[in-house]
Structures are given as structure tokens and as C-alpha cells.
């Protein structure tokens, strides 16, 4: 059993300014009982994804491309091939602005969403502090790092409760389950082994050459990280954007 814990300090300067009382132009309304609903809602989610990378300051959503995070804490222990105690700070993630929405459905009774996304590229830069073991290699270091993933497919299932507040329906996002797959990964961790340069270069080269097992072994913790980031974004959006603007045929 893998023990995975993570703390994401998300949107530390979030300022609540009140929800949208009128329908913003980046929200497209679909009819849940229309046979063409999936096509309509796929486009509606794409329009939303085209808008939110610039942020929605009126509801406290910061820009998502680049997305800045103060800190990610990654702790993975147990019997697997990976033992990691790492923190990433001063993080910048680029690429969410070019998200392609391939599919979005909404369950007619539970209102859970199923969303399929594709990104050509996602790049993370930041400072890291790492102690651990990946593919049996002991790792230790602190410095700058970057990770560059390409051809990313994400399937996200969001659990929701439909709630009524202030005369509107709201999606309360109670959970999210993500599966993702990447087509390539390059990365560099600077100052590994506290600056023993030959060891740093050979270790980075070895791990890059074996990026697929590295990515697979980090998948549980990366999945949890993506889920926590997406949950923070979705909650900020849907706590402030009535579901009635998305679904024309909601009844009490
Ligand atoms: C899907 O929706 C888009 C945008 O609303 C529309 O242009 C397209 O014709 C629709 N496709 C089908 C198969 O209904
Ligand atoms: C992880 O590393 C931090 C900083 O080095 C340390 O304070 C903490 O005790 C470590 N946690 C575990 C579970 O090893
Ligand atoms: C934080 O990252 C930016 C680039 O993303 C860099 O210019 C800056 O020096 C970093 N700050 C620290 C304290 O490392
Ligand atoms: C991207 O990944 C998908 C599977 O997730 C694969 O079908 C496709 O061929 C890949 N495209 C490129 C350009 O590698
Ligand atoms: C969403 O539901 C949870 C669990 O029932 C509740 O604790 C939380 O306050 C709700 N969120 C909002 C914004 O109402």
C-alpha cells in the first residue's frame, strides 16, 4: 500500500468578491435533455477553458497560464519503486492556455461531469528540495528544476452535488478523479548531490533516458497533484458561477 500525501498551497491571496449574478459571455448554455447535449457541453467547456487562463479576478481566480504556485509538498513512501520527500517552491506552470477539450458529458441525475482534455505541452519550472529514491537511485539535492511533458491526455471525472443558494443552482464539486497519460517527458534537476557535477549530469541523463518508468513510478503522486490543482480551480469557478447558466433545463 502506497502512502501518498500532498499539500498544495493554492491561491493564497484569493479574495472573494461575490458570485456572477448575470450570465458572463464566456458561458454557453446547453439543454441537458437535448440529444446533442454532449457536443454542446464540449464546446461550452472549451469556451470556458479559452477564458480562464487569463484569470477571473472578479471571483478571485488568478491567471492559469502561466499558473504560479507558492509550494507543492510531495511525500511518497512505502514499498514502491519510489520514495520521495520533496518540496517545490516558486513554481511556474505554462501550457494550460492551450487545452483542447475533446469531450464533456454531464450525468442527467447526479450531474457528475466526465471531461477529456488534451495538451500538447506542459512545462513546470521552480526550485526543488529533494530527498529520496527513484528507480533505485538515491537522490538528494536542492536547486532549480524544470519538467517538460508533451502530448498529455487527461480524463477527469468530477463528483458534484447540486445545491441551491441565493435563488440559483450551484455545482458543489466534492471530488475529482484524474487519469492522465503523457507521450514524453524531459526534465532537469540542477545542483543534484549538492553540486557534484559529474554525478548530477549522469543522473539527469539516466533518468531522462528512462523517462517512462520514472513517470509511471511518479504517477500516483502526480495524479494527486493534478487532482488537487484542478479541484482548486473548479471549486473557485463553480462556487461563483451558477449552474443555471450552463444548463437551461434545471428544475427544483
Ligand atoms: C457541435 O456544436 C458546434 C458548435 O455549437 C456546431 O458548430 C456543430 O455543428 C455541432 N456538431 C454536431 C454534429 O451537431
Ligand atoms: C521531509 O523533508 C523535510 C525537509 O527536509 C523534513 O522536515 C521532514 O521531516 C521530512 N519528512 C519525512 C516524512 O521524512
Ligand atoms: C522564482 O522564479 C523566477 C522565474 O520563474 C525567478 O526569476 C526568480 O529568481 C525565482 N525566485 C527565487 C527566490 O528563486
Ligand atoms: C499522443 O498520445 C495519444 C495517446 O494518448 C496517441 O494516440 C497519439 O498518437 C500521440 N500523438 C503524438 C504526436 O505523439
Ligand atoms: C459543498 O459540500 C460540502 C460537503 O457537504 C460542504 O461542506 C461545503 O460547505 C459545500 N460547499 C459550498 C460552497 O456550499
Amino acid at each position: 500500500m502506497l502512502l501518498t500525501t500532498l499539500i498544495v498551497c493554492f491561491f493564497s491571496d484569493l479574495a472573494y468578491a461575490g458570485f456572477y449574478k448575470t450570465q458572463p459571455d464566456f458561458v454557453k448554455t446547453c439543454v441537458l435533455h437535448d440529444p446533442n447535449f454532449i457536443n454542446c457541453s464540449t464546446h461550452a467547456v472549451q469556451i470556458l477553458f479559452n477564458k480562464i487562463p487569463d484569470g477571473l479576478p472578479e471571483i478571485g481566480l488568478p491567471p492559469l497560464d502561466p499558473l504560479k504556485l507558492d509550494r507543492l509538498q510531495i511525500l511518497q513512501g512505502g514499498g514502491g519503486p519510489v520514495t520521495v520527500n520533496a518540496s517545490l517552491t516558486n513554481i511556474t506552470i505554462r501550457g494550460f492556455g492551450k487545452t483542447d477539450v475533446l469531450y464533456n458529458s454531464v450525468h442527467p441525475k447526479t450531474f457528475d461531469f466526465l471531461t477529456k482534455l488534451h495538451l500538447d505541452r506542459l512545462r513546470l519550472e521552480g526550485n526543488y528540495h529533494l530527498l529520496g529514491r527513484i528507480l533505485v537511485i538515491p537522490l538528494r539535492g536542492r536547486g532549480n528544476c524544470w519538467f517538460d511533458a508533451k502530448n498529455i491526455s487527461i480524463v477527469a471525472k468530477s463528483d458534484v452535488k447540486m445545491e441551491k443558494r441565493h435563488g440559483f443552482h450551484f455545482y458543489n464539486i466534492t471530488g475529482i478523479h484524474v487519469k492522465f497519460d503523457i507521450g514524453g517527458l524531459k526534465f532537469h534537476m540542477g545542483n543534484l548531490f549538492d553540486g557534484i557535477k559529474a554525478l548530477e549530469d549522469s543522473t539527469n541523463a539516466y533518468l531522462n533516458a528512462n523517462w517512462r518508468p520514472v513517470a509511471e513510478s511518479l504517477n500516483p503522486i502526480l495524479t494527486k497533484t493534478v487532482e488537487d490543482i484542478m479541484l482548486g480551480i473548479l471549486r473557485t469557478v463553480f462556487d461563483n458561477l451558477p449552474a443555471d447558466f450552463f444548463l437551461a433545463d434545471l428544475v427544483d
Side-chain angles (χ1 to χ4, degrees):
M1 181 67 187
L2 205 62
L3 170 78
T4 333
T5 56
L6 174 94
I7 305 157
V8 181
C9 295
F10 196 66
F11 302 164
S12 45
D13 54 357
L14 186 140
Y16 180 73
F19 71 93
Y20 289 100
K21 279 128 197 126
T22 55
Q23 181 161 351
D25 60 3
F26 55 86
V27 175
K28 175 179 154 82
T29 309
C30 300
V31 178
L32 194 51
H33 293 97
D34 189 300
N36 215 8
F37 176 76
I38 288 177
N39 184 45
C40 181
S41 76
T42 301
H43 281 87
V45 175
Q46 181 70 64
I47 293 167
L48 189 64
F49 264 94
N50 293 348
K51 173 68 183 178
I52 61 175
D54 296 330
L56 298 169
E58 58 273 34
I59 59 166
L61 187 75
L64 301 183
D65 196 4
L67 173 65
K68 306 258 185 190
L69 297 172
D70 292 338
R71 188 179 173 82
L72 284 171
Q73 185 80 40
I74 292 174
L75 198 57
Q76 179 168 319
V82 174
T83 311
V84 175
N85 178 3
S87 62
L88 290 169
T89 49
N90 191 25
I91 304 154
T92 303
I93 303 175
R94 289 174 210 279
F96 286 116
K98 295 203 181 114
T99 303
D100 289 323
V101 180
L102 305 179
Y103 179 92
N104 186 69
S105 66
V106 178
H107 190 282
K109 291 210 172 60
T110 62
F111 302 105
D112 293 349
F113 329 141
L114 180 67
T115 314
K116 297 183 185 172
L117 308 171
H118 178 265
L119 288 110
D120 280 336
R121 205 171 155 213
L122 210 51
R123 183 179 170 92
L124 178 151
E125 287 173 41
N127 302 115
Y128 79 97
H129 183 188
L130 164 70
L131 193 63
R133 192 165 44 79
I134 298 178
L135 303 183
V136 308
I137 301 179
L139 297 172
R140 166 171 59 83
R142 60 180 354 164
N144 301 325
C145 65
W146 56 259
F147 294 82
D148 209 328
K150 67 176 185 187
N151 194 20
I152 302 138
S153 306
I154 300 177
V155 178
K157 186 177 165 297
S158 310
D159 299 333
V160 311
K161 280 193 316 186
M162 193 61 87
E163 293 179 347
K164 218 147 176 218
R165 293 200 292 278
H166 313 295
F168 290 98
H169 293 89
F170 284 90
Y171 291 113
N172 181 338
I173 315 284
T174 55
I176 186 160
H177 312 277
V178 164
K179 278 191 184 150
F180 74 92
D181 187 53
I182 58 176
L185 179 66
K186 289 183 179 160
F187 54 93
H188 184 80
M189 290 179 278
N191 200 46
L192 260 183
F193 307 107
D194 301 317
I196 304 173
K197 193 71 184 155
L199 206 48
E200 173 188 326
D201 290 347
S202 61
T203 304
N204 273 299
Y206 178 78
L207 293 176
N208 272 269
N210 292 285
W211 69 267
R212 198 172 273 286
V214 169
E216 273 162 17
S217 64
L218 290 170
N219 195 281
I221 193 66
L222 293 180
T223 299
K224 182 76 171 70
T225 305
V226 172
E227 287 174 348
D228 287 359
I229 291 173
M230 286 186 71
L231 195 56
I233 294 168
L234 291 178
R235 281 202 175 135
T236 306
V237 171
F238 288 112
D239 282 355
N240 293 294
L241 202 47
D244 310 80
F245 298 157
F246 290 96
L247 300 176
D249 49 346
L250 279 177
V251 288
D252 296 327

